[in-house]
Amino acid sequence: MKRSLLIHHLEEQGCFFSREGAKHSIYKNPVNGKKSTIPRHTEIINILAQKICKDLGIPSP
């Protein structure tokens, strides 16, 4: 999955960009206070995308 598509899905679900790390972007879900890191690769494997969504408490894309 493309990183841009995953970020678009996260933002559609109400998550927002929190801050940049050294090699990751950190997104937060304001509803439940959970956060997750998204690596800055152009391609993110589907299993990792599902784990990120699970960590944030939102449905998988």
Side-chain angles (χ1 to χ4, degrees):
M1 157 175 268
K2 295 268 186 207
R3 182 178 191 269
S4 59
L5 292 175
L6 177 61
I7 288 175
H8 181 70
H9 173 71
L10 297 179
E11 291 175 349
E12 279 183 340
Q13 297 296 319
C15 299
F16 67 93
F17 171 77
S18 177
R19 65 182 179 89
E20 289 286 338
K23 296 181 181 179
H24 296 80
S25 301
I26 292 135
Y27 274 77
K28 270 185 138 174
N29 186 345
V31 175
N32 55 21
K34 294 182 178 184
K35 61 183 175 179
S36 185
T37 58
I38 292 93
R40 281 197 223 122
H41 303 287
T42 54
E43 285 287 328
I44 296 174
I45 59 173
N46 290 335
I47 295 170
L48 180 58
Q50 291 172 355
K51 183 200 177 296
I52 290 168
C53 291
K54 183 180 174 185
D55 289 346
L56 291 169
I58 60 172
S60 297

